[in-house]
Amino acid sequence: MPTAFERHDHSACSHAALVRADELAAARGLRLTPVRRRVLEILLERHRALGAYEVLERLSAEGLGKQPPVAYRALDFLVENGLAHRVQRLNAFAACQSDHSDGHAPAFLICRVCQNVEEMDAATLRSALGSQADALGFEVERLTIEALGRCAGCAAEE
Amino acid sequence: MPTAFERHDHSACSHAALVRADELAAARGLRLTPVRRRVLEILLERHRALGAYEVLERLSAEGLGKQPPVAYRALDFLVENGLAHRVQRLNAFAACQSDHSDGHAPAFLICRVCQNVEEMDAATLRSALGSQADALGFEVERLTIEALGRCAGCAAEE
DNA sequence: AATGGGAATGTTACATCATAACATGCCGAC
DNA sequence: GTCGGCATGTTATGATGTAACATTCCCATT
Ligand SMILES: [Zn+2]
Ligand SMILES: [Zn+2]
Ligand SMILES: [Zn+2]
Ligand SMILES: [Zn+2]
């Protein structure tokens, strides 16, 4: 798989993610309603993270809902079911582009120039942090790892 | 040093941090003005992170400023100079309680029950993530590592 | 002492992000 | 057919964050 920062046939990313979403919905009996599916498609258009209000604008233009709760509810649904992630640093949301079907909690690389977001496997980091935390008696439930920086392409251009 | 989650003589934490702040200000010619110093003291009262508006309320009660920019400017100053950290998951700020004098970027353990925030050294994690990112040509500039979970004390009570 | 420049603070007004609460519509189970 | 659960629609408000400009303070220079 190419990274989010490379030029690539993005329709393949997008299509694969939608297929995974449909499979997941079927397997778990989730209701991937028109609004929810459309929000996922919108997020999948790029590797950028979108703010809830950016998503809402798109929905609104398509007659799928004009008020913030519509966007937030769909986004929350996607996040809860692992189809999208919240990027804390940006107060924004990105579709999950990884092929782990379930329960993964990746690290994110965020390019501050092109704004693309790449998911990176964080299993090693998770377990390293987990044992450090264990030593302090702390039980980790959710882990956020986000790196802000510059991707190779943007570094080359500057 | 006790962790933020243990019972301890917190005035020692607080006092030590203020001494470090004064030393840093002297060494780097920073202007630790009344508002800035007071904000640091307020953050240091507990190991909790405070929202900007919580800080502002306190300032306002003391006649040190009634408008959001007052709080945000002081907080930004503290963060830029390593005297406080921003906790992304909480949209909140915590005084730096570590004795690293400079440029450290710790991982945070956030107890969702008692709300205390503990800093943990993240040097190992940083370098591990750094090399994973390097392999993708990504240059990390800022790294956020935040674990949400439950501290030993709160686990014992539940 | 006056002057002037830079940093900090004061203030207004607004931008952006997020959710509570309640009304309405949809659909399948009984 | 109607009841109950879930999704959606709508209103209103809460919470977080910043742009822009006015004012004050301090201190170095004249
Ligand atoms: Zn792609
Ligand atoms: Zn880039
Ligand atoms: Zn303490
Ligand atoms: Zn706790």
Side-chain angles (χ1 to χ4, degrees), chain B residues 38-51:
Chain B
R38 189 67 192 118
V39 169
L40 180 57
E41 288 171 7
I42 290 168
L43 291 182
L44 280 168
E45 286 175 5
R46 311 183 171 281
H47 285 277
R48 267 193 59 211
L50 294 187

Side-chain angles (χ1 to χ4, degrees), chain B residues 53 68-69 72 86 91:
Chain B
Y53 281 73
Y72 279 102
R86 178 173 194 129
N91 291 327

Side-chain angles (χ1 to χ4, degrees), chain A residues 1-2 4-5 10 12-13 15 34 37 39-40 75-76 92 119 121-122 127 144:
Chain A
M1 286 242 296
F5 307 121
H10 183 62
C13 304
H15 179 71
R37 194 166 204 283
V39 169
L40 181 56
L75 289 166
D76 289 346
E119 297 182 31
D121 180 60
S127 73
T144 303

Side-chain angles (χ1 to χ4, degrees), chain A residues 58-110:
Chain A
R58 297 287 307 277
L59 290 179
S60 175
E62 299 174 14
L64 284 173
K66 303 196 210 310
Q67 296 75 28
V70 174
Y72 280 101
R73 288 196 282 231
L75 289 166
D76 289 346
F77 170 87
L78 295 174
V79 169
E80 271 166 25
N81 291 286
L83 296 170
H85 301 289
R86 180 178 190 123
V87 183
Q88 305 280 349
R89 277 202 86 102
L90 305 176
N91 292 328
F93 301 83
C96 175
Q97 306 264 357
S98 131
D99 47 8
H100 300 213
S101 59
D102 192 50
H104 75 128
F108 294 98
L109 303 180
I110 306 162

Side-chain angles (χ1 to χ4, degrees), chain B residues 75-92:
Chain B
L75 290 166
D76 288 347
F77 170 87
L78 295 174
V79 169
E80 272 166 26
N81 291 287
L83 297 170
H85 302 288
R86 178 173 194 129
V87 183
Q88 305 280 349
R89 277 201 85 102
L90 304 176
N91 291 327

